Amino acid sequence: MTNKLYDTSLSLLTDLYQVTMAYGYWKSGTAEKEAVFNLYFRKHPFGGGFTVACGLTNVIGYIEHFSLSKKDLRYLQTLTGNDGQPLFEEAFLDYLANLKLTCDIEAIPEGTVVFPNEPLVRVRGPILQCQLLETPLLNLINFESLIATKAARLRLVAENDTLLEFGLRRAQGVDGGMTASRAAYIGGCDATSNVLAGKLYGIPVRGTHAHSWVMSFENEAEAFQTYADVLPNNVTLLVDTYDTIQGVHNAIEVGRKLEQKGHKLAGIRLDSGDLAYLSIAARKLLDEAGFTDTAIVASNDLDETIITSLKQQGAKIDVWGVGTKLVTAFDQPALGGVYKLAALRHTSSENAEPDGWDYKMKLSEQAIKISTPGIQQVRRFRNEQGFIADMIFDESNAEPNPAGVTMTMIDPLDFTKRRKFDATQAFDDLLVPVFRDGTCVYESPDIHAIRARVQTQLTNLHSGVKRFVNPHTYPVGLERNLHELKTALVMKLRERND
Amino acid sequence: MTNKLYDTSLSLLTDLYQVTMAYGYWKSGTAEKEAVFNLYFRKHPFGGGFTVACGLTNVIGYIEHFSLSKKDLRYLQTLTGNDGQPLFEEAFLDYLANLKLTCDIEAIPEGTVVFPNEPLVRVRGPILQCQLLETPLLNLINFESLIATKAARLRLVAENDTLLEFGLRRAQGVDGGMTASRAAYIGGCDATSNVLAGKLYGIPVRGTHAHSWVMSFENEAEAFQTYADVLPNNVTLLVDTYDTIQGVHNAIEVGRKLEQKGHKLAGIRLDSGDLAYLSIAARKLLDEAGFTDTAIVASNDLDETIITSLKQQGAKIDVWGVGTKLVTAFDQPALGGVYKLAALRHTSSENAEPDGWDYKMKLSEQAIKISTPGIQQVRRFRNEQGFIADMIFDESNAEPNPAGVTMTMIDPLDFTKRRKFDATQAFDDLLVPVFRDGTCVYESPDIHAIRARVQTQLTNLHSGVKRFVNPHTYPVGLERNLHELKTALVMKLRERND
């Protein structure tokens, strides 16, 4: 799977410090040292209780096309330090020219609900390569997961109504629009207005006309009639260019003529004013005229709060068009995903940990910012009612046989809280192999299957977790051995700094 | 000027309703009718008093590459209406296949400060073409203007300090990152961490190392020393991986060895903790050790409010690294630009206005949402102190000779407030020709010149307009004839709806 927008070399889509560090590893002879990095976030967006993982398909496309072009290298050659001398030796640029990615990458499939501190992507390979991938992976996963989550929230409040994404004009650049349309569909939108997203991603597209269509005619009735004559199988009329109620009357007139010709008035659209009042009034007029099947579409800066409020007011809206607030994730326009070194193959015996890894972590005064070391996997326990808890464990250091025995999970915020899962407990391990030695071994499901997965996942979450106000915290903990290893490492690092 | 990210056909980067309307115009025989559309916004972002126009270079690239590919047309062919029949006739797709844009486009140059209701871009040409351009123009101008404005605000608070953009990992997709890096530089940043933006746009790039570099060594001192050995001409050391103060001591040790070899410790970077306290403590340690020229770089969710606060606390920070809050315009992630039909060539004599135009506007219950008709130009009056006021006038209907006589400007919110400008008053007309009959006649200045223009423009604005809290409203009004025409049209439209 590739994203056509990325046909040009995007291999330099990274922070300069990834390249200077790569140079540092290369020059100090540690470029090939095996490392493990985890990509995770620390807090759900929008004050919510869940996040939808998204962006892996584009990550795969990015990595499969990774290759530094001659132009890329010529550019790096021009970079200089504070003495005016080149930053990089020629031999390093030759090394980059021949660099083939050889990482093993695991990831949680797109459309899965995920929680803070869980590795969404785990990259294992030569530290130089892991480092170069940090920025693009964060860029792609952070944004798509953010928008898919926003769309999933909108889907929850829209219930069975149709949900359309209309955001391209207010999106953050071309790809801010393209990527948002994809993630919004995955999260639960039914269609997009973005034609290029329809073409490239196979998302259904929807749209009829704007105010300018109405304004370009002598009057609204003529504009509506012309539209219906020309596109009789796609008639949703925007009724608020001049006066909304008069607009509904004009639409009904057109609807009558459409019916005579065997077509139908599919809908009317409200884009301003009091949507609760106007939709109720419009529904009444339509029903009285016999247009009970004509849908009422509403748009105008909608988000999950406004949709909830409109529903509580009894608004008669069948189709919700959301734009700006969805594609920019307006109330929290960034997911704070991070990418942290978690283990490094040891080279000397003195610091050896079991299985040959030195475990690595970033200390912080704030407990939430201390990273977790280890070759992490996430085990999600479930029963017939749904998901029970997620346990993060170290694949190389869990209790004897993680597949068959009782495992103990420890609450990361209160180590006295423990939970045991015995061998009879059903589970799924969430991270699946995506790259092996640089070759993709994973086939992304099609976009419709990913979208369906989101809804299945959400039905497995307790309603308290899906609540918007003070959601219940879904339990995520560390497996006991990993907890103990992390605690010991924190103590050791703190001591060293004393 | 083209943007390499757009090498693929982006001609379908538009809302479906633009295509259905285009079909409607074509089918009803009005496709070639000459129209004028204005792109403008209604409110400054971030509660501020000014906005920086940006995005024109990418608009030019988009339009110059506009051409529907065979694949685009095949995709449009697959679209169906609610009866399962195709939306579009084959002859329309043939028409699109041969479509060459022939519009005249005027725009306000990038880097100009602009105000609500001023046309940033004016498109004049066959209505079908104007309509197809709406969505991409809004996408490109809205986002880049938003980010350039954010960066200009950051530049105002950073004063003469260095300002770096570090946002790629949290940006809204690839182009959300690329475009943001460009606009951030134009708005006033000195450099970016985004290497691809450096390569494509010629923006200076900056970066040294991350926490993972430090974590990959046995201890911080070894990590710092290795980095300094490898890249002695680019040494800014991140000191907060374990303990910040100890990190400063370690950096000083490395700095001493660097000096012995004729290099220097360029800087240290703080990325967590109390930046005011830590920067003051670090400055003291550095100065005491003789490293008075070593810069202190700070990052960690900075924005203009936090930078102002840190400066008030006496923080000793020389370089500000801003990321998420800048590239997503976190506190207001969308500029609400709109694109409205303002005039249409009349075809019958009965509705003729002077000069053959029917003036068009969108009514609304809210005065701020009523659009202004006319073939608009913006005249900016100035004196030695700077900009005085902007007057929007209709090029085909202004007072006899707009270049030579007294013009009267009317306050759009209070028509009794009037201001006269006589023929001696210096002015600039802001909109300049960009396309003539579909051919680009404008050469975008290079990015450094655009960036310099922003700063010159800002020096011409009264400090009250640049204030963040309750900024003074810069005066923008309508020229008297345009005001009267608009008033008459509103009255006529309201009457018709009564």
Side-chain angles (χ1 to χ4, degrees):
Chain A
M1 296 285 292
T2 72
N3 178 328
K4 301 263 167 54
L5 284 173
Y6 304 170
D7 271 357
T8 185
S9 164
L10 294 188
S11 304
L12 290 185
L13 186 80
T14 193
D15 291 307
L16 180 63
Y17 77 8
Q18 314 290 7
V19 187
T20 52
M21 283 190 281
Y23 181 62
Y25 294 127
W26 175 81
K27 186 87 179 156
S28 63
T30 54
E32 302 293 327
K33 213 167 174 178
E34 190 179 8
V36 177
F37 281 78
N38 294 316
L39 188 159
Y40 63 95
F41 60 90
R42 299 187 181 114
K43 224 180 136 199
H44 291 299
F46 319 121
F50 68 89
T51 297
V52 175
C54 195
L56 182 59
T57 302
N58 281 326
V59 163
I60 294 171
Y62 180 86
I63 293 176
E64 289 196 316
H65 287 85
F66 183 92
S67 168
L68 285 133
S69 69
K70 285 203 178 118
K71 272 191 189 168
D72 290 340
L73 297 165
R74 275 203 298 276
Y75 173 69
L76 293 178
Q77 215 171 16
T78 66
L79 300 180
T80 53
N82 50 32
D83 56 1
Q85 296 300 308
L87 277 186
F88 308 120
E89 278 178 29
E90 287 296 322
F92 172 65
L93 300 177
D94 291 343
Y95 175 85
L96 289 183
N98 297 310
L99 181 65
K100 293 271 172 285
L101 295 185
T102 58
C103 296
D104 288 352
I105 299 180
E106 333 282 317
I108 297 180
E110 291 184 289
T112 307
V113 293
V114 289
F115 301 92
N117 304 311
E118 297 180 347
L120 274 54
V121 183
R122 186 182 92 194
V123 182
R124 174 174 173 167
I127 191 166
L128 179 148
Q129 298 181 25
C130 296
Q131 203 80 70
L132 287 176
L133 292 178
E134 172 173 2
T135 310
L137 260 59
L138 285 170
N139 175 281
L140 295 167
I141 299 282
N142 271 334
F143 180 52
E144 289 202 58
S145 298
L146 182 75
I147 301 302
T149 305
K150 190 69 169 174
R153 290 165 61 86
L154 285 158
R155 167 50 64 206
L156 285 173
V157 299
E159 298 168 299
N160 293 320
D161 300 343
T162 300
L163 192 61
L164 307 177
E165 177 268 307
F166 279 174
L168 180 58
R169 65 188 54 201
R170 302 280 169 78
Q172 302 213 325
V174 171
D175 195 56
M178 292 300 295
T179 316
S181 293
R182 176 180 190 272
Y185 180 68
I186 286 173
C189 286
D190 294 294
T192 179
S193 66
N194 179 344
V195 187
L196 189 58
K199 176 188 152 197
L200 290 184
Y201 302 135
I203 305 171
V205 291
R206 292 277 290 272
T208 53
H209 73 86
H211 297 118
S212 53
W213 173 266
V214 176
M215 289 155 69
S216 78
F217 288 83
E218 279 305 301
N219 58 58
E220 189 179 68
E222 185 189 337
F224 285 179
Q225 192 55 55
T226 306
Y227 189 87
D229 290 344
V230 169
L231 279 143
N233 61 357
N234 186 44
V235 184
T236 294
L237 299 169
L238 177 59
V239 293
D240 71 339
T241 305
Y242 303 115
D243 176 279
T244 303
I245 298 300
Q246 182 56 47
V248 178
H249 285 295
N250 289 340
I252 287 171
E253 282 310 304
V254 169
R256 293 210 168 97
K257 291 188 195 143
L258 272 169
E259 285 192 341
Q260 288 162 12
K261 294 182 186 164
H263 292 291
K264 64 175 189 172
L265 178 63
I268 61 161
R269 180 158 74 96
L270 309 170
D271 188 43
S272 60
D274 183 332
L275 296 176
Y277 171 82
L278 291 170
S279 66
I280 292 167
R283 183 75 272 159
K284 191 157 174 282
L285 291 172
L286 288 167
D287 287 351
E288 285 169 1
F291 291 93
T292 52
D293 287 345
T294 297
I296 297 180
V297 185
S299 50
N300 192 19
D301 263 349
L302 299 176
D303 64 12
E304 58 269 49
T305 311
I306 296 173
I307 292 175
T308 303
S309 163
L310 285 167
K311 286 194 163 237
Q312 281 166 349
Q313 294 170 68
K316 300 290 186 191
I317 294 168
D318 310 289
V319 181
W320 306 88
V322 285
T324 312
K325 299 286 170 73
L326 168 56
V327 300
T328 65
F330 201 87
D331 53 334
Q332 188 192 316
L335 179 69
V338 296
Y339 182 87
K340 294 289 174 193
L341 178 63
L344 201 58
R345 277 282 178 204
H346 65 83
T347 46
S348 64
S349 61
E350 50 182 344
N351 290 290
E353 307 279 348
D355 202 30
W357 290 102
D358 283 342
Y359 290 90
K360 294 291 181 177
M361 67 194 306
K362 160 89 177 71
L363 262 192
S364 172
E365 293 304 311
Q366 300 162 266
I368 193 184
K369 283 197 160 184
I370 298 179
S371 63
T372 301
I375 326 299
Q376 296 168 27
Q377 173 60 281
V378 181
R379 180 156 295 183
R380 176 163 295 170
F381 295 101
R382 56 179 160 76
N383 60 22
E384 310 71 45
Q385 278 78 54
F387 304 149
I388 303 170
D390 288 5
M391 184 180 67
I392 302 170
F393 66 97
D394 178 0
E395 283 188 347
S396 69
N397 188 33
E399 287 177 83
N401 172 5
V405 301
T406 297
M407 296 179 88
T408 306
M409 181 173 110
I410 299 187
D411 186 320
L413 298 178
D414 179 356
F415 72 93
T416 63
K417 283 165 83 176
R418 285 152 194 244
R419 199 156 173 170
K420 285 185 192 297
F421 297 97
D422 71 21
T424 65
Q425 186 68 58
F427 69 81
D428 298 297
D429 283 346
L430 299 186
L431 287 150
V432 301
V434 178
F435 283 89
R436 278 292 166 272
D437 197 26
T439 301
C440 185
V441 295
Y442 178 78
E443 191 169 348
S444 292
D446 77 30
I447 193 169
H448 314 293
I450 299 171
R451 179 172 181 273
R453 178 176 177 84
V454 174
Q455 297 310 315
T456 313
Q457 289 268 307
L458 287 172
T459 59
N460 278 291
L461 276 192
H462 187 277
S463 60
V465 175
K466 292 181 278 193
R467 182 170 72 204
F468 290 175
V469 180
N470 294 329
H472 178 67
T473 301
Y474 177 84
V476 177
L478 298 186
E479 186 272 338
R480 185 168 54 189
N481 287 355
L482 181 56
H483 167 79
E484 284 168 6
L485 188 140
K486 179 174 179 178
T487 308
L489 198 51
V490 173
M491 304 282 277
K492 190 173 116 187
L493 288 169
R494 290 225 194 278
E495 261 170 41
R496 185 195 289 178
N497 288 318
D498 282 345
Chain B
M1 298 287 290
T2 72
N3 177 328
K4 301 261 167 54
L5 284 173
Y6 305 167
D7 271 358
T8 185
S9 165
L10 294 187
S11 303
L12 290 187
L13 187 80
T14 193
D15 292 306
L16 181 62
Y17 76 11
Q18 313 291 5
V19 187
T20 52
M21 284 191 281
Y23 182 61
Y25 295 127
W26 175 80
K27 186 86 180 156
S28 64
T30 53
E32 302 293 327
K33 212 166 175 179
E34 189 179 8
V36 177
F37 281 78
N38 294 316
L39 189 160
Y40 63 96
F41 61 91
R42 298 183 181 118
K43 224 178 136 201
H44 291 301
F46 319 120
F50 68 89
T51 297
V52 175
C54 195
L56 183 59
T57 302
N58 281 327
V59 163
I60 293 171
Y62 181 86
I63 294 175
E64 289 196 315
H65 287 84
F66 184 91
S67 168
L68 285 133
S69 70
K70 285 204 176 112
K71 272 191 188 169
D72 290 340
L73 297 165
R74 275 203 299 275
Y75 172 69
L76 293 178
Q77 216 170 14
T78 66
L79 300 180
T80 54
N82 50 32
D83 57 359
Q85 296 300 307
L87 277 185
F88 307 121
E89 278 178 29
E90 287 296 322
F92 172 65
L93 300 177
D94 291 344
Y95 175 85
L96 289 185
N98 297 310
L99 181 65
K100 293 270 173 287
L101 295 184
T102 57
C103 296
D104 288 353
I105 300 180
E106 334 280 319
I108 297 180
E110 291 184 288
T112 307
V113 293
V114 289
F115 301 92
N117 304 312
E118 296 180 348
L120 272 53
V121 182
R122 187 181 92 194
V123 182
R124 175 174 172 166
I127 190 166
L128 178 147
Q129 297 181 25
C130 296
Q131 203 79 69
L132 287 176
L133 292 177
E134 173 174 2
T135 310
L137 260 59
L138 284 170
N139 174 282
L140 296 167
I141 299 282
N142 271 334
F143 180 52
E144 288 203 57
S145 299
L146 182 74
I147 301 301
T149 305
K150 189 69 170 173
R153 291 165 60 87
L154 285 158
R155 168 49 65 207
L156 285 173
V157 298
E159 298 168 298
N160 293 320
D161 300 342
T162 300
L163 192 60
L164 308 177
E165 177 269 305
F166 280 172
L168 179 58
R169 64 189 54 201
R170 302 280 169 79
Q172 301 213 325
V174 171
D175 195 56
M178 291 300 296
T179 316
S181 292
R182 176 179 190 271
Y185 180 68
I186 287 174
C189 286
D190 293 295
T192 179
S193 66
N194 180 343
V195 187
L196 190 57
K199 177 189 151 194
L200 290 184
Y201 302 135
I203 304 171
V205 291
R206 292 278 289 272
T208 54
H209 73 86
H211 296 118
S212 54
W213 174 266
V214 177
M215 290 155 67
S216 78
F217 288 82
E218 280 304 301
N219 58 59
E220 189 178 69
E222 186 190 337
F224 285 179
Q225 191 56 54
T226 307
Y227 189 89
D229 290 344
V230 170
L231 280 143
N233 61 358
N234 186 43
V235 184
T236 292
L237 300 169
L238 177 59
V239 294
D240 71 339
T241 305
Y242 303 115
D243 176 277
T244 302
I245 297 300
Q246 181 56 47
V248 178
H249 284 296
N250 289 340
I252 287 170
E253 283 310 304
V254 169
R256 292 209 169 99
K257 291 187 196 144
L258 273 168
E259 285 193 340
Q260 287 163 12
K261 294 181 185 163
H263 294 291
K264 63 175 190 173
L265 178 63
I268 62 161
R269 179 157 76 94
L270 308 171
D271 188 43
S272 60
D274 183 330
L275 297 176
Y277 170 81
L278 291 170
S279 67
I280 292 167
R283 184 75 273 159
K284 191 156 172 282
L285 291 172
L286 289 166
D287 287 353
E288 283 169 2
F291 292 93
T292 51
D293 286 345
T294 297
I296 297 179
V297 185
S299 50
N300 191 20
D301 263 351
L302 298 176
D303 65 11
E304 57 268 49
T305 311
I306 295 174
I307 293 175
T308 303
S309 163
L310 285 168
K311 286 192 162 240
Q312 282 166 347
Q313 294 170 69
K316 300 290 188 190
I317 295 167
D318 310 288
V319 180
W320 306 89
V322 285
T324 313
K325 299 287 169 74
L326 167 57
V327 300
T328 64
F330 201 87
D331 53 332
Q332 189 192 315
L335 179 68
V338 296
Y339 183 86
K340 294 288 174 193
L341 178 63
L344 201 58
R345 277 281 180 207
H346 66 83
T347 46
S348 65
S349 60
E350 51 185 342
N351 290 290
E353 307 279 348
D355 202 28
W357 291 101
D358 281 342
Y359 289 90
K360 295 290 181 178
M361 67 195 305
K362 160 88 178 72
L363 261 192
S364 171
E365 294 303 312
Q366 299 162 265
I368 193 183
K369 283 197 159 186
I370 298 178
S371 63
T372 301
I375 326 299
Q376 297 169 26
Q377 173 60 279
V378 181
R379 180 156 296 183
R380 176 164 293 170
F381 295 102
R382 56 181 160 76
N383 61 22
E384 310 72 44
Q385 278 78 54
F387 304 149
I388 302 171
D390 288 4
M391 184 180 68
I392 302 169
F393 66 96
D394 178 0
E395 282 190 347
S396 68
N397 187 34
E399 287 177 82
N401 172 5
V405 302
T406 296
M407 296 179 87
T408 306
M409 181 174 110
I410 298 186
D411 186 321
L413 298 177
D414 179 357
F415 72 91
T416 62
K417 283 166 81 175
R418 286 154 192 243
R419 202 157 170 168
K420 285 186 193 294
F421 296 98
D422 71 21
T424 65
Q425 186 68 58
F427 68 82
D428 298 298
D429 284 347
L430 299 186
L431 288 150
V432 300
V434 178
F435 284 89
R436 278 291 168 272
D437 197 26
T439 301
C440 184
V441 295
Y442 178 78
E443 191 169 349
S444 292
D446 76 33
I447 193 168
H448 313 293
I450 298 171
R451 180 172 179 274
R453 179 176 175 85
V454 173
Q455 298 310 316
T456 313
Q457 288 267 308
L458 287 173
T459 60
N460 277 291
L461 277 191
H462 188 276
S463 59
V465 174
K466 291 181 279 193
R467 182 169 73 203
F468 290 175
V469 180
N470 294 327
H472 179 67
T473 301
Y474 177 84
V476 177
L478 298 186
E479 184 273 338
R480 183 167 56 191
N481 286 356
L482 181 56
H483 167 79
E484 284 169 3
L485 188 140
K486 179 175 180 177
T487 308
L489 197 51
V490 173
M491 304 282 276
K492 192 173 116 188
L493 287 170
R494 289 225 193 278
E495 261 171 39
R496 185 196 289 181
N497 288 318
D498 282 345

